[in-house]
């Protein structure tokens, strides 16, 4: 580990578990030779069931460790819960740039035809004032159905990444069927863990519902801040 203390990485990814790995993969697809480090605070997983103050405290301690050991040039907060609850506090505390994975409400509103949007996230994210502000700013004319499904997040972290198709379909079906009953035509995936089961979410939702996530926008912002 001693060598890591003197190594500078271009991009650091911060999450509570494996949810941010699709963001890591997206960046490597654009910049295959970029130097990256991924740090997951599994000790405090799941963040989505914590209070706002707890999320800020745990995330700050993890970033302290990240900066001390790896000296990244930019930190990608590959966790929606940390982003909505703690991103402002992290930016205030540290001089290094942070790229957050906030819910893609703006894009969801732009895509929705019937002005009915589904937001699938953790309990912490769906009730956070930051999310309220995003909806008020970008989707005030939309009916937004919010579902906090931290149990699904925990199942993805513990078993569903390696589970078979049938188990993954059954796991995502309850939330997606609730969105269908609400008549949404667009679903925003606002927890990075859901990207691990995005194929199954698309399959259950069917062709009449568009699925939105923030992968490409987040990665492009990181690449703008720190060119590979």
């Amino acid at each position: 580990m001693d060598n890591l203390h003197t190594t500078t990485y271009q991009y650091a990814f911060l999450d509570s578990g494996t949810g941010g790995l699709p963001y890591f993969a997206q960046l490597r697809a654009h910049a295959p030779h970029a130097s990256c480090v991924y740090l997951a605070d599994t000790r405090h997983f799941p963040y989505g069931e914590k209070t706002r103050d707890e999320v800020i405290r745990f995330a700050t301690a993890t970033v302290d460790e990240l900066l001390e050991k790896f000296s990244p040039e930019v930190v990608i907060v590959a966790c929606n819960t940390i982003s909505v609850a703690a991103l402002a506090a992290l930016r205030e505390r540290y001089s290094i740039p942070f790229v957050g994975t906030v819910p893609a409400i703006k894009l969801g509103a732009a895509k929705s035809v019937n002005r009915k949007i589904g937001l699938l996230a953790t309990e912490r994210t769906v009730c956070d004032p930051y999310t309220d502000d995003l909806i008020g700013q970008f989707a005030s004319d939309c009916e937004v159905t919010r579902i906090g499904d931290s149990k699904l997040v925990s199942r993805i972290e513990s078993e569903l990444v390696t589970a078979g198709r049938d188990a993954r379909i059954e796991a995502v079906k309850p939330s997606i069927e609730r969105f269908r009953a609400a008549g949404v035509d667009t679903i925003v995936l606002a927890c990075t863990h859901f990207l691990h089961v995005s194929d199954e979410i698309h399959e259950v939702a069917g062709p009449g519902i568009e699925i939105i996530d923030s992968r490409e926008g987040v990665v492009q912002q990181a690449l703008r801040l720190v060119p590979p």
Side-chain angles (χ1 to χ4, degrees):
M1 291 291 292
D2 289 341
N3 291 335
L4 295 178
H5 287 264
T6 59
T7 301
T8 298
Y9 289 78
Q10 290 174 293
Y11 309 97
F13 292 79
L14 172 66
D15 190 19
S16 61
T18 63
L21 289 175
Y23 286 76
F24 175 88
Q26 188 85 352
L27 187 139
R28 291 306 295 268
H30 286 286
H33 301 297
S35 59
C36 304
V37 61
Y38 187 99
L39 183 59
D41 181 22
T42 55
R43 178 186 304 177
H44 296 113
F45 180 87
Y47 271 47
E49 298 176 5
K50 304 295 189 291
T51 67
R52 188 176 234 263
D53 288 344
E54 286 175 327
V55 172
I56 293 173
R57 185 167 73 251
F58 297 149
T60 299
T62 306
V63 171
D64 283 341
E65 182 177 0
L66 183 64
L67 298 183
E68 177 186 353
K69 291 184 176 181
F70 304 108
S71 301
E73 297 178 44
V74 61
V75 177
I76 299 162
V77 183
C79 171
N80 288 92
T81 299
I82 297 175
S83 296
V84 300
L87 189 58
L90 295 175
R91 286 173 170 163
E92 182 176 350
R93 179 181 176 92
Y94 306 101
S95 58
I96 187 172
F98 286 83
V99 179
T101 53
V102 299
I105 298 294
K106 182 179 181 180
L107 180 58
K111 295 285 187 179
S112 178
V113 176
N114 71 1
R115 317 314 292 156
K116 293 184 178 181
I117 299 172
L119 176 65
L120 185 60
T122 64
E123 283 83 352
R124 173 71 266 151
T125 296
V126 297
C127 71
D128 197 273
Y130 190 100
T131 301
D132 293 337
D133 290 343
L134 286 176
I135 292 172
Q137 185 175 359
F138 298 115
S140 59
D141 65 332
C142 296
E143 178 183 325
V144 182
T145 299
R146 310 187 200 192
I147 296 179
D149 199 343
S150 290
K151 289 184 178 179
L152 177 57
V153 174
S154 294
R155 286 196 63 193
I156 293 169
E157 181 73 16
S158 65
E159 61 178 290
L160 289 180
V161 171
T162 57
R165 171 186 171 277
D166 290 346
R168 293 153 68 94
I169 289 287
E170 289 304 313
V172 305
K173 188 178 292 185
S175 290
I176 305 307
E177 290 300 332
R178 283 179 59 189
F179 285 134
R180 189 190 308 283
V184 308
D185 69 352
T186 306
I187 296 174
V188 177
L189 302 183
C191 173
T192 57
H193 277 77
F194 297 142
L195 299 183
H196 287 297
V197 292
S198 61
D199 287 346
E200 289 75 19
I201 290 174
H202 277 86
E203 183 174 344
V204 174
I209 300 177
E210 185 152 5
I211 311 298
I212 300 296
D213 68 68
S214 61
R215 263 179 295 187
E216 185 62 18
V218 167
V219 165
Q220 289 301 327
Q221 175 64 5
L223 294 174
R224 280 192 291 269
L225 289 171
V226 179

